[in-house]
Amino acid sequence: WLTFQGCPFRGHDESPGSLNRGNFLEMLKLLASYNKEVNEVVLENAPKNAKYTSPDVQKEILSIVAQKVHKSIREEIGNSKFCIMVDEARDESKKEQMAIVLRFVNKEGLIKERFLDLIHVSDTTTLTLKESICAVLLANGLSIQDIRGQGYDGASNMRGEWNGLKALILNECPYAYYIHCIAHQLQLALVAASREVYEVHNFFQHANFIINVVSASPKRNDELLANQAEEIAREIELGELDTGRGANQISSLQRPGDTRWSSHYRSILSLKKMFGATISVLRSIANDRLVSKYSRGDASGALRIIVTFDFVFILLLMEKIMKITDVLCQTLQKKNIDILNATDSVSTTKVLLGELRNNGWEPLLEEVKLFCGKHEIDIPDLSK
């Protein structure tokens, strides 16, 4: 049950006098309270060397479960060809871990993806990764000659034409075509394009700075939520917001993630939704003599940035652009997407962006002016 739920087995203190001995032992104690035999045979009368509750025994049981899962996946694949999808990341203990997923067509003709293994690699050189993948395949009775596709990210050690992991596997199996995740390519393209436009690049840096200042402590976050609740109540009273189940829920500002472009869109939406509440909190921090001068300085700097026409303009512009690109991002990450639907979605996105470019200026400018008027932000003389 713990394995299926992804819960840790071990506890911080598993000694008999501990108030919380970890999930495994606490669950065993719970079962024993409902089952007299478990209590007598396992907990009370069993010899200390035969309780089967030690960490070594727990790991051995998990290893047996893992072997059974591997065997089941191998039987499901049968003699089919398969694709491998590999990614590596550093865990909390600073160790490089490589995840291997197999994609294949089963006997019923259905496409399946199975998480095969997570293994520690000493480094991320191409030769180490290739040897580790081959070892996992060999241990499960699979041949590298049956690979018909490779899916990695765009790092040079993975997709390098001559010495990348892609190239090393292609040398042994020429049918193992390399596919760079389309959703990941889109994210990289959006990041690169935004950095080419300095105003947009600076906007995201400023937005991240503002969010960090406002969300730096639980006290500030509580103040932000309280201000948001007051603003929502006021707008409902004035008839500016619709009411209904699930509408106008209180939420916090969201930080954007470097490798997930959709998180930038969610961050922009949260900042737009809580714009007035954010300004109120920044003013409160800037004028609070009880906080440090550094915090007051950060709040003053963030306040000067957020109450400018330029910041609001880029905020609303990026919201419109990313509302279109985010739909494509989500579509490309669906399990049932195929190449025809993917290219069709890309074409639709390009058409929508073209319409925004050709016909979106006047509506955008009007929205920016209304937004600035609502939050008492000066609008410059655009004729100059």
Side-chain angles (χ1 to χ4, degrees):
W1 187 87
L2 291 170
T3 308
F4 189 77
Q5 295 298 326
C7 298
F9 276 53
R10 302 295 309 280
H12 177 66
D13 180 5
E14 294 187 348
S15 62
S18 173
L19 295 176
N20 185 351
R21 301 178 67 191
N23 292 331
F24 181 76
L25 295 177
E26 290 296 333
M27 177 171 282
L28 191 61
K29 190 165 69 174
L30 176 67
L31 291 171
S33 69
Y34 285 94
N35 190 314
K36 187 177 180 181
E37 290 184 8
V38 172
N39 185 49
E40 291 179 354
V41 176
V42 179
L43 296 184
E44 290 188 358
N45 298 326
K48 288 187 177 180
N49 65 344
K51 285 189 175 182
Y52 304 108
T53 58
S54 72
D56 290 339
V57 173
Q58 292 176 33
K59 291 177 182 176
E60 192 171 341
I61 292 172
L62 277 175
S63 177
I64 293 169
V65 173
Q67 288 173 19
K68 286 184 174 292
V69 172
H70 286 156
K71 184 180 178 182
S72 175
I73 293 172
R74 181 66 187 87
E75 290 173 353
E76 193 177 16
I77 295 173
N79 296 322
S80 301
K81 310 302 181 186
F82 58 89
C83 302
I84 59 171
M85 293 183 287
V86 178
D87 199 10
E88 32 89 14
R90 185 175 296 180
D91 65 13
E92 284 294 316
S93 61
K94 309 301 181 188
K95 291 182 178 179
E96 288 288 347
Q97 305 285 2
M98 181 171 68
I100 302 176
V101 175
L102 299 185
R103 182 179 172 94
F104 57 94
V105 179
N106 67 5
K107 294 175 183 177
E108 286 75 35
L110 302 174
I111 297 175
K112 296 290 183 180
E113 288 182 3
R114 293 287 181 254
F115 183 90
L116 185 65
D117 216 337
L118 182 72
I119 54 175
H120 167 57
V121 288
S122 57
D123 56 67
T124 56
T125 59
T126 53
L127 191 59
T128 301
L129 297 178
K130 191 242 180 184
E131 289 175 350
S132 300
I133 291 170
C134 290
V136 170
L137 295 177
L138 185 63
N140 288 279
L142 297 167
S143 171
I144 195 171
Q145 298 300 325
D146 289 329
I147 297 177
R148 291 296 179 269
Q150 310 176 64
Y152 319 124
D153 61 21
S156 59
N157 65 327
M158 304 300 269
R159 65 174 298 187
E161 290 293 332
W162 307 107
N163 298 312
L165 177 62
K166 172 193 80 171
L168 294 183
I169 290 183
L170 276 172
N171 289 339
E172 292 199 30
C173 181
Y175 305 109
Y177 294 108
Y178 167 72
I179 302 294
H180 184 184
C181 171
I182 302 176
H184 192 246
Q185 286 188 65
L186 176 63
Q187 290 164 3
L188 294 175
L190 289 167
V191 170
S194 68
R195 286 179 178 169
E196 287 295 319
V197 183
Y198 302 131
E199 291 83 359
V200 175
H201 174 67
N202 292 334
F203 165 79
F204 280 115
Q205 285 190 318
H206 292 153
N208 206 23
F209 172 63
I210 291 166
I211 292 170
N212 287 335
V213 171
V214 174
S215 307
S217 70
K219 179 184 175 183
R220 294 179 190 176
N221 196 57
D222 288 344
E223 188 178 347
L224 180 71
L225 299 181
N227 286 333
Q228 186 192 9
E230 290 177 8
E231 188 173 341
I232 289 173
R234 185 172 61 253
E235 290 182 354
I236 290 175
E237 189 177 341
L238 295 172
E240 296 177 1
L241 280 180
D242 295 327
T243 57
R245 177 175 291 185
N248 308 317
Q249 294 186 356
I250 306 297
S251 58
S252 57
L253 292 174
Q254 297 189 29
R255 290 183 175 88
D258 290 339
T259 58
R260 293 291 176 268
W261 198 237
S262 291
S263 70
H264 289 72
Y265 179 55
R266 291 192 295 271
S267 179
I268 285 176
L269 286 180
S270 68
L271 185 56
K272 179 187 174 185
K273 179 181 178 182
M274 306 182 71
F275 197 85
T278 302
I279 291 174
S280 298
V281 173
L282 289 173
R283 282 177 179 154
S284 174
I285 299 170
N287 297 321
D288 188 355
R289 293 293 170 181
L290 297 178
V291 301
S292 68
K293 58 184 179 182
Y294 305 109
S295 296
R296 293 201 303 272
D298 285 344
S300 298
L303 190 59
R304 280 197 296 271
I305 293 169
I306 198 172
V307 293
T308 60
F309 179 84
D310 288 9
F311 185 87
V312 172
F313 182 87
I314 300 292
L315 174 70
L316 299 186
L317 172 64
M318 292 310 298
E319 185 215 359
K320 287 186 177 298
I321 294 174
M322 296 179 69
K323 185 177 182 179
I324 298 171
T325 59
D326 189 61
V327 173
L328 179 59
C329 267
Q330 301 304 322
T331 301
L332 293 176
Q333 293 179 70
K334 290 181 179 177
K335 284 189 176 182
N336 59 351
I337 191 74
D338 57 48
I339 192 64
L340 291 177
N341 285 322
T343 52
D344 186 55
S345 297
V346 171
S347 299
T348 303
T349 302
K350 291 167 73 174
V351 169
L352 291 172
L353 289 172
E355 289 179 0
L356 179 64
R357 176 192 290 273
N358 296 329
N359 306 311
W361 171 253
E362 292 298 337
L364 170 65
L365 194 58
E366 191 60 32
E367 187 180 345
V368 171
K369 289 179 179 178
L370 289 172
F371 193 89
C372 288
K374 177 182 176 182
H375 296 285
E376 300 178 351
I377 296 172
D378 294 334
I379 301 174
D381 183 359
L382 297 179
S383 63
K384 295 184 178 180

